[in-house]
């Protein structure tokens, strides 16, 4: 499933680490695979493991640990709401509930129009501005239900610059 | 040397010693879950937290090295609070199902909770539930009980050498899993059951059979291979319910393989022989011991009268005890029988005179770990001696370079530089290696062989180990001589990987035609075991078709025999020519002793009563001797038999020359294959190697043959093929592409219904695409 380009990129990552430590290149290799394919089906994870010559289960462990790896197809916008302690104490549950209601999907699901995926993730390291949401390469902080509504409208309107 | 103090007791420890190890030296108990002395340190259960002076937080004893002047408290208020806190967290998601959990009564979590937990928990929320996984027929999972100690994951990576289990998910969703519900396939997987400190991984065949405290424990031995692992046979009433390893650092450490652990399931097979049987009007019918013994003696005597005692072939399984082996040969030698044999998996006996006193490893198993350069000669210990293989793996991890020459490449669980000649000319490979060692110039295409020659030459005292497949080779004599040639040219030591549970005992106690107990030579010419010159056969614990290399010859010889007496454990695969069957007690039902690959004499006791009317082999042989009028074998108990064989054998050395002088070997030209035929190669697999394990339902695996991918492609074959051979039923088998199988060959798993139907390895077969997926 991997293109020659992706294989070359993985090989380049592989060369950064000692010969007997292929596992070190796994994070990068999975990222390259996901960037190319959009998400990580089982066969792709297995292929990455084969390319790096490590047991499939090792690649599977890493792919299931990090929420930035998608094991299912995701929508255009992946809304990752932090549920760790600071955000939790500042109402992340309300934010998640509000999002579920507005989008009509549960956590881990994607809207029928393929626009939104909702996820709950672990600490994003922005506790001072809790509750926090992570979207693409942007952080949205001090979330409120009203702010969420505005965000959804904006994204539906076709803009992805939400800063 | 750090000087430390634990609970007020002072101690000097070696640098690098952890607090836990130091505490164990003092006999101070610190509770653990994830720590295991044979595994890497994970420190993820936190159960071993201790209070270290001047440290604000309690430290994990398993992962903290002792520093000079450390003062450690294991039972201070701070340590206790930490232990209680950890247990409270571990129990948050642990179900309260101890009454129905197989681990109950032998569960560290249960025990440590009793000893260290605060009886009150703050937790009032819901417990999490983890989906169960089906990881195969041996290990039952109850993943909600898992405390994520990762002992099983580390075992797979570090000991079994195949990482099959891993930790997937994160946080509350973290769980132990295989890769997308694959089954665990390692031959050491059962040890994960023992390692699991909770009831997450339990034995599937043992599930809900008994509570652990009801079981009777009998120290025993594993009869299945020459490593001689020490086991603990656990039984309830008349049934063996499970077999666990018994720790012996010098033999099996604290592991056993799945064959040794689960083969007991075959003891209660449907075709277990429970009564003596007599053939009446063509059918085997139950008979009394008296009738059966009389018929057995009568049958043998009539053959002796008509054809002389040389017409009897007495064949015994090398998994029999020393006592049985000794009595067997004593009885039949007294009758004048010359063909006494345990080697049914060998067809070329021309090198008999050169064979050693017994197949000795010539070193201790522990010493194997310290070898630097090892060449495995036609050996696949991973399936044939799994715990010996574990020592080789340890050697490899410690930096040894391990080479293997074989006919096909075997899947080892450590790095092996395998040399499998594409042409299938394995004999030529050894001969060429000898030439290279003697200074011949390597050809361009011989790179791997030249590197091996250099490695052998450069290592001081390399080690060559001879495996099962060498003896099974059609030209075993030449092969062995070539191996000896390599050893001499390389200045290497030679050791044997004995090919069956008590092969050492069978050799030492004279169960070969040309040697008496102790190795004294018996002069005379030999006929093959399966020769039509033999008019009577005695089969002791062997199933001729499933345990012989020469299946077709066995069938023919039995066809023409006048009398066949079988003594054994099972009746299912008895040849139809058997006239008398005498049921034997299994190893779990009788006492005895084995000699392992190192020459270590170990004895075992009976765990349960014999099934039905089966009787211990030594008693049966002794009574048969009475019926045959053979004097001098009237032993009254096992001790007398033991003194008799020990007297006859005397002291035997642990180091024996691997070969005596080879006789002149006339060159034998292999018959050319008919056009379009494939040459048959094969070997017994780990779970088809003996009658007991073949009947253990949890260990049954589908038979798969192997061919070179180009041969498959050239013939347009799919994943299932039909094997045809003149005069034989068509056999349908799944086929796997394997580039190490020589071109024009087919690798067949032996000891299977399919290999028997095909008539074994004696000649060749044609293959074709299977018309349907239905197997024979």
């Amino acid at each position: 499933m991997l293109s020659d380009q992706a294989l070359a990129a993985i090989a380049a990552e592989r060369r950064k680490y000692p010969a007997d430590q292929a596992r070190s290149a796994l994070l990068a290799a999975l990222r390259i695979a996901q960037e190319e394919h959009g998400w990580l089906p089982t066969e792709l994870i297995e292929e990455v493991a084969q390319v790096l010559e490590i047991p499939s289960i090792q690649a599977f462990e890493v792919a299931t640990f990090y929420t930035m790896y998608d094991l299912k197809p995701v929508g255009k916008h992946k809304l990752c709401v932090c549920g760790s302690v600071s955000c939790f104490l500042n109402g992340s549950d309300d934010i998640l509930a509000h999002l579920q209601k507005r989008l009509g999907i549960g956590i881990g699901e994607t809207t029928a129009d393929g626009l939104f995926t909702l996820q709950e993730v672990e600490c994003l390291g922005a506790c001072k501005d809790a509750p926090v949401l992570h979207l693409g390469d942007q952080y949205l902080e001090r979330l409120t239900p009203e702010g969420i509504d505005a965000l959804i409208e904006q994204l539906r309107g076709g803009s992805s610059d939400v800063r | 040397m750090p000087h430390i103090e634990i609970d007020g007791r002072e101690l000097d420890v070696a640098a690098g010693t952890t607090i836990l190890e130091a505490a164990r030296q003092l006999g101070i108990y610190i509770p653990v879950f994830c720590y295991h002395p044979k595994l890497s340190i994970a420190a993820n259960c936190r159960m071993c937290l201790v209070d270290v002076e001047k440290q604000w937080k309690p430290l994990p004893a398993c992962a903290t090295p002792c520093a000079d002047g450390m003062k450690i408290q294991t039972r201070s208020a701070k340590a206790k609070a930490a232990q209680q806190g950890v247990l409270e967290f571990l129990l948050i998601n642990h179900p309260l199902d101890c009454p129905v959990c197989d681990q109950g009564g032998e569960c560290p979590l249960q025990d440590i909770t009793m000893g260290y937990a605060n009886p009150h928990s703050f937790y009032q929320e819901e417990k999490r539930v983890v989906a169960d996984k089906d990881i195969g027929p041996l290990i039952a999972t109850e993943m909600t009980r898992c405390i994520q100690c990762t002992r099983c994951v580390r075992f797979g990576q570090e000991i079994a050498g195949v990482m099959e289990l891993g930790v997937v998910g994160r946080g509350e969703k973290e769980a132990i899993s295989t890769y997308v519900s694959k089954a665990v396939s390692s031959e050491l997987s059962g040890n994960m059951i023992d390692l699991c400190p909770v009831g997450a991984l339990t034995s599937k065949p043992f599930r809900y059979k008994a509570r652990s405290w009801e079981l009777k424990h009998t120290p025993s031995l594993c009869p299945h291979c020459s490593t001689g692992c020490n086991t603990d046979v656990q039984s309830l009433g008349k049934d063996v319910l499970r077999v666990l390893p018994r720790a012996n650092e010098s033999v099996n450490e604290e592991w056993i393989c799945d064959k040794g652990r689960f083969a007991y399931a075959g003891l209660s097979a449907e075709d277990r022989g429970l009564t003596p049987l007599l053939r009446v009007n063509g059918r085997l019918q139950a008979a009394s011991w008296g009738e059966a013994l009389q018929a057995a003696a009568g049958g043998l005597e009539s053959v002796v009268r008509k054809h002389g005692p040389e017409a009897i072939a007495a064949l015994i399984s090398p998994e029999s005890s020393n006592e049985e082996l000794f009595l067997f040969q004593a009885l039949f030698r007294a009758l004048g029988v010359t063909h006494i044999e345990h080697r049914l998996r060998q067809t070329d006996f021309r090198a008999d005179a050169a064979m050693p006193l017994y197949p000795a490893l010539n070193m201790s198993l522990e010493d194997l770990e310290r070898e630097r350069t090892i060449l495995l000669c036609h050996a696949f210990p991973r399936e044939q001696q799994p715990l010996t293989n574990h020592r080789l793996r340890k050697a490899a991890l410690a930096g040894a370079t391990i080479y293997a020459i074989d006919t096909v490449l075997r899947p080892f669980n450590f790095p092996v530089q395998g040399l499998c000649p594409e042409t299938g000319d394995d004999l030529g490979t050894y001969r060429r290696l000898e030439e290279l060692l003697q200074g011949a110039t390597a050809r361009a295409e011989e790179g791997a062989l030249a590197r091996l020659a250099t490695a052998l030459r450069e290592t001081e005292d390399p080690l060559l180990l001879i495996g099962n497949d060498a003896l099974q080779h059609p030209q075993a004599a030449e092969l062995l001589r070539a191996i000896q040639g390599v050893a001499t040219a390389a200045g290497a030591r030679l050791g044997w990987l004995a090919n069956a549970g008590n092969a050492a005992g069978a050799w030492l106690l004279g169960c070969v035609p040309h040697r008496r107990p102790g190795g004294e030579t018996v002069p005379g010419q030999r006929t093959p075991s399966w020769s039509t010159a033999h008019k009577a056969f005695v089969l002791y614990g062997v199933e001729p078709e499933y345990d012989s290399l020469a299946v077709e010859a066995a069938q023919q010889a039995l066809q023409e025999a006048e009398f066949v007496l079988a003594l054994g454990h099972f009746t299912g695969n008895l040849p139809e020519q058997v006239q008398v069957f005498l049921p034997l007690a299994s190893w779990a039902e009788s006492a005895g002793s084995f000699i392992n690959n190192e020459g270590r004499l170990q004895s075992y006791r009976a765990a349960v009563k014999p099934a039905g009317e089966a009787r211990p082999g030594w008693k049966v042989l002794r009574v048969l001797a009475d019926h045959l009028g053979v004097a001098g074998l009237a032993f009254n108990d096992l001790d007398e038999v033991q003194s008799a064989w020990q007297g006859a054998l005397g002291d035997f050395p642990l180091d024996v020359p691997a070969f005596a002088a080879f006789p002149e070997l006339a060159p034998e030209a292999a018959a050319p294959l008919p056009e379009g035929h494939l040459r048959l190669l094969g070997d017994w697999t780990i779970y088809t190697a003996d009658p007991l394990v073949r009947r253990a339902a949890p260990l049954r695996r589908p038979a798969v043959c192997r061919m070179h991918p180009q041969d498959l492609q050239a013939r347009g074959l799919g994943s299932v093929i039909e094997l045809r051979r003149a005069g034989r039923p068509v056999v349908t088998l799944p086929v796997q592409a394997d580039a190490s199988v020589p071109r024009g060959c087919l690798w067949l798993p032996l000891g299977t219904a399919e290999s028997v139907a095909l008539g074994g390895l004696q000649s060749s077969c044609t293959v074709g695409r299977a018309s349907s997926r239905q197997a024979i």
Side-chain angles (χ1 to χ4, degrees), chain B residues 225-248:
Chain B
C225 86
S226 59
T227 310
C229 295
N230 294 193
T231 58
D232 175 16
V233 175
Q234 303 188 0
S235 55
L236 182 64
K238 61 182 179 43
D239 298 316
V240 173
L241 289 188
R242 63 176 178 179
V243 175
L244 298 188
R246 192 155 48 89
N248 184 343

mmCIF file of all heavy atoms in Angstrom, chain B residues 225-248:
data_model
loop_
_atom_site.group_PDB
_atom_site.id
_atom_site.type_symbol
_atom_site.label_atom_id
_atom_site.label_comp_id
_atom_site.label_asym_id
_atom_site.label_seq_id
_atom_site.Cartn_x
_atom_site.Cartn_y
_atom_site.Cartn_z
ATOM 1 N N CYS B 225 11.047 -35.316 25.413
ATOM 2 C CA CYS B 225 12.280 -35.067 24.662
ATOM 3 C C CYS B 225 13.475 -35.227 25.573
ATOM 4 O O CYS B 225 13.344 -35.381 26.773
ATOM 5 C CB CYS B 225 12.270 -33.703 23.971
ATOM 6 S SG CYS B 225 12.820 -32.345 25.002
ATOM 7 N N SER B 226 14.647 -35.138 24.972
ATOM 8 C CA SER B 226 15.848 -35.516 25.712
ATOM 9 C C SER B 226 16.352 -34.444 26.661
ATOM 10 O O SER B 226 17.356 -34.633 27.328
ATOM 11 C CB SER B 226 16.942 -35.886 24.721
ATOM 12 O OG SER B 226 17.211 -34.788 23.884
ATOM 13 N N THR B 227 15.679 -33.290 26.723
ATOM 14 C CA THR B 227 16.103 -32.285 27.705
ATOM 15 C C THR B 227 15.834 -32.804 29.119
ATOM 16 O O THR B 227 16.603 -32.552 30.037
ATOM 17 C CB THR B 227 15.358 -30.950 27.470
ATOM 18 O OG1 THR B 227 15.478 -30.614 26.094
ATOM 19 C CG2 THR B 227 15.934 -29.849 28.318
ATOM 20 N N GLY B 228 14.734 -33.523 29.287
ATOM 21 C CA GLY B 228 14.435 -34.105 30.597
ATOM 22 C C GLY B 228 13.917 -33.095 31.603
ATOM 23 O O GLY B 228 14.317 -33.101 32.773
ATOM 24 N N CYS B 229 13.018 -32.217 31.163
ATOM 25 C CA CYS B 229 12.486 -31.184 32.053
ATOM 26 C C CYS B 229 11.815 -31.806 33.272
ATOM 27 O O CYS B 229 11.152 -32.829 33.181
ATOM 28 C CB CYS B 229 11.466 -30.328 31.308
ATOM 29 S SG CYS B 229 12.192 -29.397 29.974
ATOM 30 N N ASN B 230 11.985 -31.143 34.403
ATOM 31 C CA ASN B 230 11.354 -31.582 35.641
ATOM 32 C C ASN B 230 9.949 -31.014 35.700
ATOM 33 O O ASN B 230 9.737 -29.826 35.448
ATOM 34 C CB ASN B 230 12.152 -31.083 36.853
ATOM 35 C CG ASN B 230 13.531 -31.714 36.929
ATOM 36 O OD1 ASN B 230 14.209 -31.621 37.923
ATOM 37 N ND2 ASN B 230 13.962 -32.384 35.863
ATOM 38 N N THR B 231 8.991 -31.866 36.016
ATOM 39 C CA THR B 231 7.610 -31.400 36.028
ATOM 40 C C THR B 231 6.925 -31.750 37.346
ATOM 41 O O THR B 231 7.422 -32.566 38.132
ATOM 42 C CB THR B 231 6.791 -32.029 34.886
ATOM 43 O OG1 THR B 231 6.849 -33.450 35.020
ATOM 44 C CG2 THR B 231 7.331 -31.642 33.530
ATOM 45 N N ASP B 232 5.804 -31.113 37.531
ATOM 46 C CA ASP B 232 4.954 -31.371 38.687
ATOM 47 C C ASP B 232 3.625 -31.834 38.108
ATOM 48 O O ASP B 232 2.916 -31.043 37.503
ATOM 49 C CB ASP B 232 4.811 -30.069 39.486
ATOM 50 C CG ASP B 232 3.842 -30.206 40.637
ATOM 51 O OD1 ASP B 232 3.516 -31.353 41.012
ATOM 52 O OD2 ASP B 232 3.405 -29.160 41.166
ATOM 53 N N VAL B 233 3.344 -33.127 38.246
ATOM 54 C CA VAL B 233 2.096 -33.649 37.692
ATOM 55 C C VAL B 233 1.016 -33.485 38.750
ATOM 56 O O VAL B 233 1.156 -33.971 39.874
ATOM 57 C CB VAL B 233 2.246 -35.128 37.285
ATOM 58 C CG1 VAL B 233 0.911 -35.692 36.836
ATOM 59 C CG2 VAL B 233 3.265 -35.258 36.168
ATOM 60 N N GLN B 234 -0.040 -32.765 38.406
ATOM 61 C CA GLN B 234 -1.080 -32.482 39.385
ATOM 62 C C GLN B 234 -2.335 -33.263 39.008
ATOM 63 O O GLN B 234 -2.799 -33.205 37.881
ATOM 64 C CB GLN B 234 -1.348 -30.979 39.428
ATOM 65 C CG GLN B 234 -0.063 -30.225 39.752
ATOM 66 C CD GLN B 234 -0.276 -28.759 40.012
ATOM 67 O OE1 GLN B 234 -1.381 -28.251 39.966
ATOM 68 N NE2 GLN B 234 0.815 -28.072 40.307
ATOM 69 N N SER B 235 -2.835 -33.996 39.996
ATOM 70 C CA SER B 235 -3.929 -34.912 39.688
ATOM 71 C C SER B 235 -5.027 -34.809 40.733
ATOM 72 O O SER B 235 -4.821 -34.329 41.848
ATOM 73 C CB SER B 235 -3.389 -36.340 39.656
ATOM 74 O OG SER B 235 -2.741 -36.623 40.885
ATOM 75 N N LEU B 236 -6.194 -35.254 40.329
ATOM 76 C CA LEU B 236 -7.334 -35.330 41.235
ATOM 77 C C LEU B 236 -7.935 -36.706 41.020
ATOM 78 O O LEU B 236 -8.352 -37.024 39.909
ATOM 79 C CB LEU B 236 -8.332 -34.224 40.904
ATOM 80 C CG LEU B 236 -9.579 -34.133 41.791
ATOM 81 C CD1 LEU B 236 -9.201 -33.795 43.223
ATOM 82 C CD2 LEU B 236 -10.543 -33.069 41.257
ATOM 83 N N GLY B 237 -7.942 -37.520 42.060
ATOM 84 C CA GLY B 237 -8.434 -38.883 41.895
ATOM 85 C C GLY B 237 -7.589 -39.629 40.881
ATOM 86 O O GLY B 237 -6.366 -39.639 40.968
ATOM 87 N N LYS B 238 -8.239 -40.191 39.849
ATOM 88 C CA LYS B 238 -7.477 -40.994 38.895
ATOM 89 C C LYS B 238 -7.049 -40.199 37.661
ATOM 90 O O LYS B 238 -6.479 -40.761 36.739
ATOM 91 C CB LYS B 238 -8.296 -42.213 38.473
ATOM 92 C CG LYS B 238 -9.610 -41.873 37.782
ATOM 93 C CD LYS B 238 -10.370 -43.134 37.439
ATOM 94 C CE LYS B 238 -11.689 -42.876 36.768
ATOM 95 N NZ LYS B 238 -11.707 -41.855 35.730
ATOM 96 N N ASP B 239 -7.345 -38.902 37.648
ATOM 97 C CA ASP B 239 -7.049 -38.128 36.452
ATOM 98 C C ASP B 239 -5.885 -37.162 36.649
ATOM 99 O O ASP B 239 -5.824 -36.460 37.658
ATOM 100 C CB ASP B 239 -8.278 -37.307 36.024
ATOM 101 C CG ASP B 239 -9.452 -38.203 35.684
ATOM 102 O OD1 ASP B 239 -9.214 -39.204 34.989
ATOM 103 O OD2 ASP B 239 -10.581 -37.921 36.138
ATOM 104 N N VAL B 240 -5.005 -37.117 35.654
ATOM 105 C CA VAL B 240 -4.005 -36.055 35.609
ATOM 106 C C VAL B 240 -4.719 -34.820 35.085
ATOM 107 O O VAL B 240 -5.307 -34.850 34.006
ATOM 108 C CB VAL B 240 -2.841 -36.433 34.675
ATOM 109 C CG1 VAL B 240 -1.892 -35.254 34.515
ATOM 110 C CG2 VAL B 240 -2.101 -37.643 35.223
ATOM 111 N N LEU B 241 -4.701 -33.735 35.851
ATOM 112 C CA LEU B 241 -5.437 -32.552 35.415
ATOM 113 C C LEU B 241 -4.545 -31.465 34.862
ATOM 114 O O LEU B 241 -4.986 -30.607 34.110
ATOM 115 C CB LEU B 241 -6.281 -31.996 36.561
ATOM 116 C CG LEU B 241 -7.488 -32.860 36.926
ATOM 117 C CD1 LEU B 241 -8.360 -32.137 37.923
ATOM 118 C CD2 LEU B 241 -8.310 -33.209 35.693
ATOM 119 N N ARG B 242 -3.297 -31.461 35.260
ATOM 120 C CA ARG B 242 -2.383 -30.531 34.600
ATOM 121 C C ARG B 242 -0.944 -30.896 34.937
ATOM 122 O O ARG B 242 -0.672 -31.610 35.896
ATOM 123 C CB ARG B 242 -2.681 -29.076 34.956
ATOM 124 C CG ARG B 242 -2.508 -28.730 36.406
ATOM 125 C CD ARG B 242 -2.752 -27.225 36.607
ATOM 126 N NE ARG B 242 -2.640 -26.888 38.023
ATOM 127 C CZ ARG B 242 -2.782 -25.663 38.505
ATOM 128 N NH1 ARG B 242 -3.055 -24.668 37.699
ATOM 129 N NH2 ARG B 242 -2.658 -25.435 39.793
ATOM 130 N N VAL B 243 -0.050 -30.383 34.116
ATOM 131 C CA VAL B 243 1.379 -30.596 34.308
ATOM 132 C C VAL B 243 2.039 -29.221 34.305
ATOM 133 O O VAL B 243 1.832 -28.433 33.395
ATOM 134 C CB VAL B 243 1.957 -31.468 33.177
ATOM 135 C CG1 VAL B 243 3.467 -31.581 33.299
ATOM 136 C CG2 VAL B 243 1.323 -32.856 33.198
ATOM 137 N N LEU B 244 2.786 -28.936 35.372
ATOM 138 C CA LEU B 244 3.472 -27.651 35.472
ATOM 139 C C LEU B 244 4.969 -27.908 35.606
ATOM 140 O O LEU B 244 5.385 -28.994 35.990
ATOM 141 C CB LEU B 244 2.976 -26.877 36.708
ATOM 142 C CG LEU B 244 1.506 -26.486 36.757
ATOM 143 C CD1 LEU B 244 1.252 -25.558 37.940
ATOM 144 C CD2 LEU B 244 1.080 -25.782 35.487
ATOM 145 N N PRO B 245 5.778 -26.898 35.273
ATOM 146 C CA PRO B 245 7.217 -27.097 35.444
ATOM 147 C C PRO B 245 7.600 -27.140 36.928
ATOM 148 O O PRO B 245 6.954 -26.503 37.768
ATOM 149 C CB PRO B 245 7.819 -25.869 34.767
ATOM 150 C CG PRO B 245 6.737 -24.854 34.743
ATOM 151 C CD PRO B 245 5.447 -25.589 34.709
ATOM 152 N N ARG B 246 8.627 -27.908 37.224
ATOM 153 C CA ARG B 246 9.215 -27.917 38.562
ATOM 154 C C ARG B 246 10.584 -27.285 38.367
ATOM 155 O O ARG B 246 11.340 -27.683 37.480
ATOM 156 C CB ARG B 246 9.343 -29.364 39.022
ATOM 157 C CG ARG B 246 9.651 -29.605 40.457
ATOM 158 C CD ARG B 246 9.140 -30.998 40.863
ATOM 159 N NE ARG B 246 9.526 -32.041 39.933
ATOM 160 C CZ ARG B 246 10.657 -32.744 40.017
ATOM 161 N NH1 ARG B 246 11.514 -32.506 40.980
ATOM 162 N NH2 ARG B 246 10.936 -33.688 39.138
ATOM 163 N N ALA B 247 10.883 -26.257 39.176
ATOM 164 C CA ALA B 247 12.109 -25.501 38.925
ATOM 165 C C ALA B 247 13.336 -26.376 39.106
ATOM 166 O O ALA B 247 13.459 -27.102 40.096
ATOM 167 C CB ALA B 247 12.173 -24.304 39.870
ATOM 168 N N ASN B 248 14.213 -26.363 38.116
ATOM 169 C CA ASN B 248 15.519 -26.987 38.226
ATOM 170 C C ASN B 248 16.450 -26.173 37.349
ATOM 171 O O ASN B 248 16.462 -26.328 36.132
ATOM 172 C CB ASN B 248 15.466 -28.455 37.777
ATOM 173 C CG ASN B 248 16.795 -29.155 37.972
ATOM 174 O OD1 ASN B 248 17.833 -28.504 38.136
ATOM 175 N ND2 ASN B 248 16.778 -30.475 37.964
#
